mmCIF file of all heavy atoms in Angstrom:
data_model
loop_
_atom_site.group_PDB
_atom_site.id
_atom_site.type_symbol
_atom_site.label_atom_id
_atom_site.label_comp_id
_atom_site.label_asym_id
_atom_site.label_seq_id
_atom_site.Cartn_x
_atom_site.Cartn_y
_atom_site.Cartn_z
ATOM 1 N N ARG A 5 6.867 -22.581 -6.616
ATOM 2 C CA ARG A 5 8.084 -22.321 -7.364
ATOM 3 C C ARG A 5 9.197 -21.817 -6.447
ATOM 4 O O ARG A 5 10.352 -22.185 -6.592
ATOM 5 C CB ARG A 5 7.809 -21.324 -8.468
ATOM 6 C CG ARG A 5 8.972 -21.105 -9.413
ATOM 7 C CD ARG A 5 8.589 -20.305 -10.657
ATOM 8 N NE ARG A 5 8.447 -18.928 -10.360
ATOM 9 C CZ ARG A 5 7.280 -18.251 -10.464
ATOM 10 N NH1 ARG A 5 6.196 -18.888 -10.815
ATOM 11 N NH2 ARG A 5 7.226 -16.948 -10.195
ATOM 12 N N ILE A 6 8.831 -20.905 -5.539
ATOM 13 C CA ILE A 6 9.824 -20.375 -4.571
ATOM 14 C C ILE A 6 10.340 -21.467 -3.675
ATOM 15 O O ILE A 6 11.538 -21.510 -3.389
ATOM 16 C CB ILE A 6 9.172 -19.255 -3.725
ATOM 17 C CG1 ILE A 6 8.773 -18.068 -4.617
ATOM 18 C CG2 ILE A 6 10.148 -18.778 -2.652
ATOM 19 C CD1 ILE A 6 9.929 -17.380 -5.324
ATOM 20 N N LYS A 7 9.456 -22.363 -3.271
ATOM 21 C CA LYS A 7 9.864 -23.486 -2.410
ATOM 22 C C LYS A 7 10.866 -24.369 -3.135
ATOM 23 O O LYS A 7 11.905 -24.790 -2.565
ATOM 24 C CB LYS A 7 8.635 -24.296 -1.992
ATOM 25 C CG LYS A 7 8.927 -25.386 -0.974
ATOM 26 C CD LYS A 7 7.636 -26.086 -0.564
ATOM 27 C CE LYS A 7 7.908 -27.180 0.451
ATOM 28 N NZ LYS A 7 6.673 -27.875 0.878
ATOM 29 N N ILE A 8 10.611 -24.644 -4.416
ATOM 30 C CA ILE A 8 11.532 -25.483 -5.194
ATOM 31 C C ILE A 8 12.847 -24.764 -5.394
ATOM 32 O O ILE A 8 13.930 -25.366 -5.305
ATOM 33 C CB ILE A 8 10.891 -25.807 -6.593
ATOM 34 C CG1 ILE A 8 9.655 -26.733 -6.377
ATOM 35 C CG2 ILE A 8 11.909 -26.476 -7.482
ATOM 36 C CD1 ILE A 8 8.850 -26.933 -7.648
ATOM 37 N N LEU A 9 12.776 -23.421 -5.629
ATOM 38 C CA LEU A 9 14.004 -22.617 -5.799
ATOM 39 C C LEU A 9 14.836 -22.686 -4.532
ATOM 40 O O LEU A 9 16.088 -22.842 -4.599
ATOM 41 C CB LEU A 9 13.618 -21.193 -6.170
ATOM 42 C CG LEU A 9 14.784 -20.180 -6.250
ATOM 43 C CD1 LEU A 9 15.721 -20.575 -7.400
ATOM 44 C CD2 LEU A 9 14.224 -18.761 -6.495
ATOM 45 N N ASN A 10 14.214 -22.533 -3.374
ATOM 46 C CA ASN A 10 14.918 -22.561 -2.090
ATOM 47 C C ASN A 10 15.650 -23.896 -1.903
ATOM 48 O O ASN A 10 16.838 -23.950 -1.530
ATOM 49 C CB ASN A 10 13.943 -22.351 -0.929
ATOM 50 C CG ASN A 10 13.653 -20.906 -0.620
ATOM 51 O OD1 ASN A 10 14.475 -20.040 -0.980
ATOM 52 N ND2 ASN A 10 12.562 -20.618 0.006
ATOM 53 N N THR A 11 14.908 -24.945 -2.158
ATOM 54 C CA THR A 11 15.482 -26.304 -1.985
ATOM 55 C C THR A 11 16.655 -26.522 -2.914
ATOM 56 O O THR A 11 17.690 -27.078 -2.509
ATOM 57 C CB THR A 11 14.383 -27.353 -2.249
ATOM 58 O OG1 THR A 11 13.239 -27.128 -1.365
ATOM 59 C CG2 THR A 11 14.926 -28.763 -1.996
ATOM 60 N N SER A 12 16.493 -26.108 -4.175
ATOM 61 C CA SER A 12 17.557 -26.279 -5.173
ATOM 62 C C SER A 12 18.810 -25.481 -4.789
ATOM 63 O O SER A 12 19.933 -26.013 -4.879
ATOM 64 C CB SER A 12 17.043 -25.861 -6.545
ATOM 65 O OG SER A 12 15.958 -26.617 -6.936
ATOM 66 N N LEU A 13 18.614 -24.235 -4.377
ATOM 67 C CA LEU A 13 19.742 -23.401 -4.004
ATOM 68 C C LEU A 13 20.513 -23.956 -2.838
ATOM 69 O O LEU A 13 21.746 -24.010 -2.836
ATOM 70 C CB LEU A 13 19.272 -21.980 -3.711
ATOM 71 C CG LEU A 13 18.823 -21.090 -4.898
ATOM 72 C CD1 LEU A 13 18.259 -19.794 -4.379
ATOM 73 C CD2 LEU A 13 19.983 -20.840 -5.827
ATOM 74 N N LYS A 14 19.788 -24.406 -1.818
ATOM 75 C CA LYS A 14 20.462 -24.946 -0.635
ATOM 76 C C LYS A 14 21.242 -26.220 -0.953
ATOM 77 O O LYS A 14 22.359 -26.415 -0.477
ATOM 78 C CB LYS A 14 19.405 -25.252 0.465
ATOM 79 C CG LYS A 14 18.809 -23.992 1.100
ATOM 80 C CD LYS A 14 17.696 -24.331 2.074
ATOM 81 C CE LYS A 14 17.097 -23.081 2.664
ATOM 82 N NZ LYS A 14 15.977 -23.380 3.586
ATOM 83 N N ARG A 15 20.647 -27.053 -1.786
ATOM 84 C CA ARG A 15 21.308 -28.311 -2.151
ATOM 85 C C ARG A 15 22.568 -28.041 -2.999
ATOM 86 O O ARG A 15 23.647 -28.601 -2.727
ATOM 87 C CB ARG A 15 20.340 -29.195 -2.954
ATOM 88 C CG ARG A 15 20.937 -30.570 -3.281
ATOM 89 C CD ARG A 15 19.948 -31.469 -4.032
ATOM 90 N NE ARG A 15 19.737 -30.962 -5.357
ATOM 91 C CZ ARG A 15 18.629 -30.387 -5.783
ATOM 92 N NH1 ARG A 15 17.599 -30.229 -4.963
ATOM 93 N NH2 ARG A 15 18.518 -29.944 -7.016
ATOM 94 N N LEU A 16 22.442 -27.158 -3.982
ATOM 95 C CA LEU A 16 23.584 -26.839 -4.858
ATOM 96 C C LEU A 16 24.684 -26.091 -4.126
ATOM 97 O O LEU A 16 25.879 -26.283 -4.407
ATOM 98 C CB LEU A 16 23.103 -26.039 -6.050
ATOM 99 C CG LEU A 16 22.137 -26.794 -7.022
ATOM 100 C CD1 LEU A 16 21.595 -25.839 -8.064
ATOM 101 C CD2 LEU A 16 22.879 -27.960 -7.703
ATOM 102 N N LEU A 17 24.305 -25.219 -3.217
ATOM 103 C CA LEU A 17 25.318 -24.478 -2.416
ATOM 104 C C LEU A 17 26.064 -25.448 -1.490
ATOM 105 O O LEU A 17 27.267 -25.286 -1.266
ATOM 106 C CB LEU A 17 24.639 -23.377 -1.581
ATOM 107 C CG LEU A 17 24.188 -22.113 -2.373
ATOM 108 C CD1 LEU A 17 23.236 -21.300 -1.530
ATOM 109 C CD2 LEU A 17 25.453 -21.282 -2.735
ATOM 110 N N ARG A 18 25.358 -26.396 -0.970
ATOM 111 C CA ARG A 18 25.973 -27.402 -0.099
ATOM 112 C C ARG A 18 26.984 -28.253 -0.895
ATOM 113 O O ARG A 18 28.043 -28.609 -0.381
ATOM 114 C CB ARG A 18 24.912 -28.279 0.530
ATOM 115 C CG ARG A 18 25.414 -29.220 1.612
ATOM 116 C CD ARG A 18 24.284 -29.856 2.401
ATOM 117 N NE ARG A 18 23.344 -30.565 1.543
ATOM 118 C CZ ARG A 18 22.083 -30.188 1.299
ATOM 119 N NH1 ARG A 18 21.610 -29.084 1.877
ATOM 120 N NH2 ARG A 18 21.305 -30.887 0.531
ATOM 121 N N ARG A 19 26.660 -28.544 -2.129
ATOM 122 C CA ARG A 19 27.519 -29.349 -3.002
ATOM 123 C C ARG A 19 28.613 -28.527 -3.674
ATOM 124 O O ARG A 19 29.571 -29.073 -4.264
ATOM 125 C CB ARG A 19 26.688 -30.038 -4.074
ATOM 126 C CG ARG A 19 25.818 -31.174 -3.547
ATOM 127 C CD ARG A 19 24.808 -31.609 -4.618
ATOM 128 N NE ARG A 19 25.443 -31.700 -5.931
ATOM 129 C CZ ARG A 19 24.737 -31.745 -7.056
ATOM 130 N NH1 ARG A 19 23.414 -31.656 -7.008
ATOM 131 N NH2 ARG A 19 25.362 -31.861 -8.216
ATOM 132 N N GLY A 20 28.439 -27.192 -3.647
ATOM 133 C CA GLY A 20 29.411 -26.329 -4.341
ATOM 134 C C GLY A 20 29.288 -26.409 -5.848
ATOM 135 O O GLY A 20 30.276 -26.244 -6.604
ATOM 136 N N ALA A 21 28.080 -26.654 -6.340
ATOM 137 C CA ALA A 21 27.823 -26.831 -7.773
ATOM 138 C C ALA A 21 27.686 -25.457 -8.441
ATOM 139 O O ALA A 21 26.577 -24.974 -8.721
ATOM 140 C CB ALA A 21 26.577 -27.676 -8.014
ATOM 141 N N THR A 22 28.835 -24.837 -8.711
ATOM 142 C CA THR A 22 28.847 -23.465 -9.216
ATOM 143 C C THR A 22 28.157 -23.305 -10.572
ATOM 144 O O THR A 22 27.408 -22.370 -10.796
ATOM 145 C CB THR A 22 30.316 -22.971 -9.337
ATOM 146 O OG1 THR A 22 30.917 -23.068 -8.051
ATOM 147 C CG2 THR A 22 30.369 -21.519 -9.827
ATOM 148 N N LYS A 23 28.416 -24.258 -11.495
ATOM 149 C CA LYS A 23 27.864 -24.169 -12.831
ATOM 150 C C LYS A 23 26.325 -24.186 -12.797
ATOM 151 O O LYS A 23 25.661 -23.368 -13.460
ATOM 152 C CB LYS A 23 28.400 -25.333 -13.691
ATOM 153 C CG LYS A 23 27.971 -25.245 -15.152
ATOM 154 C CD LYS A 23 28.590 -26.383 -15.944
ATOM 155 C CE LYS A 23 28.140 -26.273 -17.424
ATOM 156 N NZ LYS A 23 28.762 -27.380 -18.229
#
Side-chain angles (χ1 to χ4, degrees):
R5 187 169 75 245
I6 296 297
K7 187 176 179 180
I8 294 171
L9 175 63
N10 275 338
T11 304
S12 300
L13 287 174
K14 290 176 181 177
R15 185 179 69 252
L16 294 172
L17 284 165
R18 189 168 57 249
R19 287 168 44 196
T22 303
K23 186 176 180 180

